[in-house]
Amino acid sequence: MATSKTKKEGTPGPDDSAFRTQSELSDVVIVVEGRPLHVNRSVLSHISPVFLKMFNGEWKGKAEVPLADKKYDHFVELLLCAYPPQCKLISMETLDVVLPLADEYGIESIKLRCEEFVLARLQHRDMEVNNPPTKELVHFLYLADKYKLKKLLEETVEKVIHRSYNGKDCVKMLNEFGLLSVEVKFRVTSERLCLINR
């Protein structure tokens, strides 16, 4: 389960004004949920090998391309984080939206920014009593595992082995712990056993 807040009914979506209309720099329209986003193919190709391949392949020469199975607000969030001059900061509200799309489109710079955001959050939360809540920590472990974020994986494994494994809200009872890869589950379990047997 994601810890990021989901958009409430009636709340405004992300600011899409930079992509709503054609500009001197836009040369292609990406259509998401029937709504146009005016973007520059060179910019997207520069940040994403997946877009580069599409613009040189199936989308070559097309002025308008539809993206199926994507949410408009989510794709706008990705553009806001990736597209100069916006380069919006990653936040808890956007992490679970932006990271999967960055992974899907191979935008390593955004994946790195997501990882750095979580690492900074963990470092900040270390100074707090709740350090962070176990559910949030396991969520970050799940993201690190799923999206191959090595530094974050090291940090979250080190923290999660010190958490409770008994009781209602313990590590192993959380849904996302069950979704971890076999390798990461084994690593967490074995490192925890080593810690207990010291």
Side-chain angles (χ1 to χ4, degrees), residues 4 7 31-32 38 48 87 114 118 120 139 150:
S4 295
K7 192 178 116 177
V31 181
V32 184
H38 297 265
S48 164
C87 290
C114 289
V118 177
H139 179 61
K150 292 179 183 176

Side-chain angles (χ1 to χ4, degrees), residues 154-167:
E154 296 302 315
E155 187 74 20
T156 49
V157 166
E158 178 57 36
K159 289 182 181 308
V160 87
I161 62 173
H162 294 278
R163 294 302 172 95
S164 171
Y165 277 61
N166 299 312

Side-chain angles (χ1 to χ4, degrees), residues 37-142:
L37 291 164
H38 297 265
V39 295
N40 182 285
R41 66 183 83 222
S42 294
V43 170
L44 293 181
S45 296
H46 179 71
I47 61 170
S48 164
V50 176
F51 278 123
L52 176 63
K53 186 176 179 183
M54 287 196 242
F55 285 128
N56 287 325
E58 61 183 296
W59 293 355
K60 191 168 187 172
K62 291 189 177 179
E64 190 173 290
V65 290
L67 273 189
D69 304 322
K70 298 289 176 281
K71 293 189 175 184
Y72 180 84
D73 285 354
H74 291 187
F75 202 77
V76 170
E77 286 290 2
L78 177 70
L79 292 176
L80 289 171
C81 289
Y83 215 88
Q86 284 80 14
C87 290
K88 182 178 176 180
L89 296 175
I90 306 299
S91 68
M92 282 301 292
E93 288 72 29
T94 60
L95 176 67
D96 292 312
V97 167
V98 172
L99 182 54
L101 287 171
D103 186 66
E104 180 180 348
Y105 291 104
I107 308 175
E108 292 301 318
S109 59
I110 292 186
K111 286 181 67 177
L112 179 61
R113 285 173 52 206
C114 289
E115 182 176 40
E116 287 170 350
F117 164 77
V118 177
L119 286 168
R121 183 174 174 84
L122 286 174
Q123 187 176 20
H124 175 71
R125 295 300 293 268
D126 272 346
M127 299 171 205
E128 299 176 8
V129 178
N130 210 6
N131 162 1
T134 300
K135 187 174 182 180
E136 185 175 285
L137 181 60
V138 171
H139 179 61
F140 292 154
L141 176 63
Y142 168 74

